[in-house]
Amino acid sequence: MEKDNKVLDIIISFVKAVKITNVEDEKNCKHYLDDGNNRLWGAKYLLGQVIRQFRINDDHFFISVAADKLWKEITNGKEDIKNYHYTMKVPVHKECKLNLYKGAAKEPFEKEKAFAPTNTFQYRQVFHDEHVIPIEDVIQKLISLETLNYENVKKILNNIYVCRMLKSENVELNRGNRNKREWDVKETIEKIYKGIHNINIVGWEYEK
């Protein structure tokens, strides 16, 4: 049995802080982690940030057909999307036109901007790393655990999957269905991604 896992210890500490928060603190969003001498406010927010940074295995990453196609076109197959995220600069290897988004905006701030080879753009302006199971759902599952130990926590964290997709696809996902995901990756991908928004995943065999 695993006896020393510093990362899981941090996560468990924050989960405990959120679980013991009293009703008044819940109302005022004042979750905190307190060791008797020091206090960290915003425990639930910090828990969410920690979970977002939790390293997952390669087989827990998906990519949409549209994102995969565009990535290969603009990088001419010379870059691996696994090496890029967030604000990292993506080098263009083939002339193209791209719609650029800013933050959570529903519309691009620049449409069909022309890019030439050697130009770059920020990864998040065109692509998005989407948590298939929302982080809030993961947090709620952790909070609901009666026994907080490595085994139980790891079972919950094992449900973290990320889908690399176009920013435009993520915008569509956010149109009313973001909080209607199943606690099952297969169900979410087939019913929400494919079923409602026609977002196909590379290598995914959908039920007929």
Side-chain angles (χ1 to χ4, degrees), residues 24-195:
E24 190 61 29
D25 280 347
E26 177 73 32
K27 179 180 178 181
N28 296 310
C29 300
K30 292 182 179 178
H31 300 287
Y32 57 82
L33 176 62
D34 196 320
D35 63 5
N37 296 308
N38 304 287
R39 176 173 292 185
L40 286 174
W41 292 103
K44 188 175 182 181
Y45 167 78
L46 292 174
L47 174 61
Q49 295 305 305
V50 169
I51 292 175
R52 288 179 183 281
Q53 301 305 319
F54 185 75
R55 184 172 67 87
I56 59 178
N57 296 329
D58 286 347
D59 62 356
H60 279 221
F61 279 97
F62 304 126
I63 185 169
S64 73
V65 170
D68 185 56
K69 181 175 183 293
L70 181 60
W71 181 269
K72 290 176 178 176
E73 288 177 354
I74 62 183
T75 66
N76 213 18
K78 296 180 179 179
E79 304 291 339
D80 190 338
I81 196 170
K82 295 179 182 178
N83 297 326
Y84 294 87
H85 63 278
Y86 201 46
T87 59
M88 290 181 68
K89 297 288 187 179
V90 178
V92 173
H93 292 274
K94 185 178 181 181
E95 186 175 309
C96 61
K97 292 183 178 180
L98 301 172
N99 291 330
L100 303 181
Y101 289 79
K102 184 177 295 184
K106 295 181 180 180
E107 299 293 335
F109 70 87
E110 193 159 2
K111 294 185 177 181
E112 296 191 342
K113 180 177 180 179
F115 285 85
T118 72
N119 288 163
T120 63
F121 63 89
Q122 284 189 359
Y123 176 87
R124 68 173 181 174
Q125 291 179 323
V126 179
F127 299 93
H128 180 79
D129 290 349
E130 165 75 7
H131 282 88
V132 181
I133 304 296
I135 294 298
E136 178 61 28
D137 289 2
V138 175
I139 291 175
Q140 292 304 318
K141 286 288 185 179
L142 289 170
I143 292 173
S144 68
L145 288 173
E146 293 185 8
T147 303
L148 281 169
N149 55 39
Y150 290 166
E151 182 180 2
N152 290 343
V153 170
K154 287 170 76 172
K155 284 181 180 178
I156 299 299
L157 297 178
N158 195 46
N159 286 278
I160 298 176
Y161 287 81
V162 171
C163 181
R164 299 180 175 100
M165 61 178 61
L166 297 178
K167 197 78 171 185
S168 57
E169 290 179 310
N170 180 247
V171 169
E172 287 303 313
L173 273 179
N174 286 334
R175 295 185 191 278
N177 293 296
R178 184 172 183 80
N179 296 317
K180 297 180 181 179
R181 311 289 176 84
E182 303 285 341
W183 181 252
D184 182 282
V185 171
K186 182 175 182 291
E187 291 283 321
T188 295
I189 288 178
E190 295 191 350
K191 291 183 178 180
I192 305 298
Y193 280 41
K194 169 64 175 177

